[in-house]
Amino acid sequence: MVPGTRVGLLGLGAYLPERVMENDEWTALVDTSDEWIRKRTGIQRRRIAADDESTVDMAAAAALGALEDSGLTARDLDEIIVATDTPEVFIPDTAAFLQARLGAPEVPAYDLGSSGCAGFVLALDVARARALSGDRKVLVVGVELLSRLMNWEDRNTCVLFGDAAGAAVVGRGENAVEILSARAGTDGTRSDILGLEVGGTRAPFSLDRARRGEHKNIVMDGRAVFREAVERMASCSTQVLDDVGVTVQDLALIVPHQANLRILEAVRDRLGATPEQLYVNVQEYGNTGSASVPVALWEARETGRIKTGDLVLLTAFGAGFHWSSMLLRF
Ligand code: ACO
């Protein structure tokens, strides 16, 4: 590597479907209320993809934004990574469709599939390693079309989610948003606490299961997820700060996975950060899985919440359980 050349984010992009669904719309569909949803989650509305929109449509829109922001085209890409729990089809992966859609060269393209809400930050770290080892320009996309796969009759889960896509190009560049440190982890002993079981080899898709609606049943122990999310995001974040030798007070902004306002506030308190240091947009978009961190980071930059030189912490947690944190310098 050329001394002084930074490896990091060269550009950011995001895509949010046009349709806005307010909490009140849920009250006509399930036994819930705007008050319950706001109080327990902080969510006020979310975006829902149009019927003719697919995962790849959303991923491509975010990717084109990130490429333009980087001053690059798809022809410049050396690798593509897609983090998603809601793929275009079961086989092959969404990254293959995205490579074709973008007209990118015949470069390696692969999904960090079913990696839950922590997938995007982990994919950024993989991209950083690839850029360090081979001077590659790597497109990283976090995309979820959760409204298409969730059970619209299960009030425990349906009110939480929204659709979105976010993207970044990772590579070397004097103006790159430098990735200073990244950490991630997995506790697979907790894999039964949050997931979608039907469709894999354990419970293959069948007409009987579909008639019972099991293919859309997101299994979730909300309280266990809540506790673990707070603990893991806080401790993983502390590790990346320690790696670089900075403290929470040095951070301009914390951009966490937007799961639930109460989770975000608990992580903030655990870290000893101030309300001004926490970026929150869960009220607008709900939980958009692996898209939530790139969308929030893009939005924070677009709205002037981040300046050159700022230290920004990303942190995410999701099914697996998987978690990941990353420290950036803009
Ligand atoms: N409307 C009204 N009532 C509801 C709804 C709803 N949409 N959903 C659940 N309830 C009911 C429950 O049935 C329960 O009723 P009961 O007491 O009669 O059994 C009651 O509300 C309270 O349930 P609690 O579990 O006490 O509610 P809690 O305060 O824990 O909030 C929530 C639930 C919002 C799911 C919370 O636990 C949470 O956010 N957990 C994290 C889950 C999460 O973020 N999942 C997303 C994927 S993972 C990730 O992104 C990190």
Side-chain angles (χ1 to χ4, degrees):
M1 178 169 156
V2 183
T5 308
R6 296 180 184 183
V7 171
L9 280 51
L10 304 176
L12 291 167
Y15 173 75
L16 293 152
E18 233 175 82
R19 187 185 160 210
V20 178
M21 182 179 184
E22 301 286 342
N23 284 348
D24 277 338
E25 288 187 57
W26 277 117
T27 58
L29 300 169
V30 291
D31 182 14
T32 190
S33 65
D34 174 46
E35 195 203 347
W36 191 96
I37 301 171
R38 280 183 194 231
K39 204 167 145 204
R40 303 284 177 137
T41 72
I43 299 166
Q44 299 177 23
R45 54 191 68 87
R46 70 286 292 143
R47 302 294 179 95
I48 303 290
D51 289 345
D52 62 355
E53 261 178 329
S54 74
T55 299
V56 170
D57 294 333
M58 299 200 331
L64 288 172
L67 284 166
E68 192 184 344
D69 194 42
S70 313
L72 301 170
T73 72
R75 299 214 147 274
D76 300 313
L77 291 175
D78 300 296
E79 201 148 318
I80 297 170
I81 311 175
V82 176
T84 187
D85 282 359
T86 53
E88 184 83 1
V89 298
F90 207 34
I91 300 170
D93 52 12
T94 303
F97 292 99
L98 184 61
Q99 179 269 342
R101 176 70 67 84
L102 294 175
E106 292 176 349
V107 297
Y110 49 96
D111 279 12
L112 244 163
S114 309
S115 46
C117 310
F120 181 83
V121 181
L122 179 58
L124 281 186
D125 190 28
V126 173
R128 173 178 72 144
R130 301 290 287 165
L132 274 168
S133 69
D135 194 11
R136 297 177 179 90
K137 301 233 173 345
V138 186
L139 171 67
V140 181
V141 179
V143 55
E144 303 294 356
L145 210 171
L146 286 152
S147 69
R148 196 72 55 78
L149 298 187
M150 71 193 188
N151 182 348
W152 283 59
E153 293 171 6
D154 175 15
R155 70 174 184 172
N156 291 303
T157 54
C158 66
V159 301
L160 303 176
F161 299 113
D163 302 330
V169 179
V170 174
R172 290 182 192 184
E174 288 307 324
N175 297 320
V177 174
E178 194 172 9
I179 299 172
L180 300 176
S181 174
R183 294 271 188 152
T186 301
D187 178 5
T189 66
R190 316 297 304 282
S191 54
D192 55 343
I193 287 178
L194 177 61
L196 180 56
E197 289 180 2
V198 171
T201 53
R202 184 188 292 178
F205 184 84
S206 74
L207 214 49
D208 278 349
R209 289 196 169 103
R211 281 199 187 104
R212 291 195 294 270
E214 290 176 13
H215 59 302
K216 291 189 167 184
N217 278 352
I218 295 173
V219 175
M220 183 181 80
D221 177 343
R223 287 184 176 195
V225 172
F226 194 114
R227 274 194 305 274
E228 195 85 7
V230 174
E231 168 59 33
R232 297 298 190 178
M233 284 199 275
S235 58
C236 192
S237 295
T238 303
Q239 283 178 338
V240 296
L241 297 181
D242 288 349
D243 287 344
V244 180
V246 297
T247 68
V248 170
Q249 284 67 43
D250 297 317
L251 295 174
L253 205 61
I254 300 169
V255 180
H257 164 51
Q258 307 284 316
N260 173 320
L261 182 59
R262 288 155 61 214
I263 291 179
L264 305 192
E265 290 176 345
V267 171
R268 178 201 68 198
D269 292 348
R270 186 76 68 93
L271 288 172
T274 64
E276 295 70 37
Q277 284 176 295
L278 185 71
Y279 193 77
V280 178
N281 67 6
V282 70
Q283 69 281 3
E284 294 300 319
Y285 310 125
N287 181 342
T288 60
S290 61
S292 95
V293 168
V295 168
L297 187 62
W298 169 83
E299 193 179 73
R301 192 200 61 179
E302 291 298 293
T303 54
R305 290 284 298 273
I306 302 172
K307 303 183 304 294
T308 305
D310 278 352
L311 282 177
V312 176
L313 173 72
L314 311 181
T315 186
F317 174 90
F321 291 139
H322 298 295
W323 56 90
S324 47
S325 295
M326 177 173 276
L327 189 63
L328 303 173
R329 188 189 301 281
F330 272 75

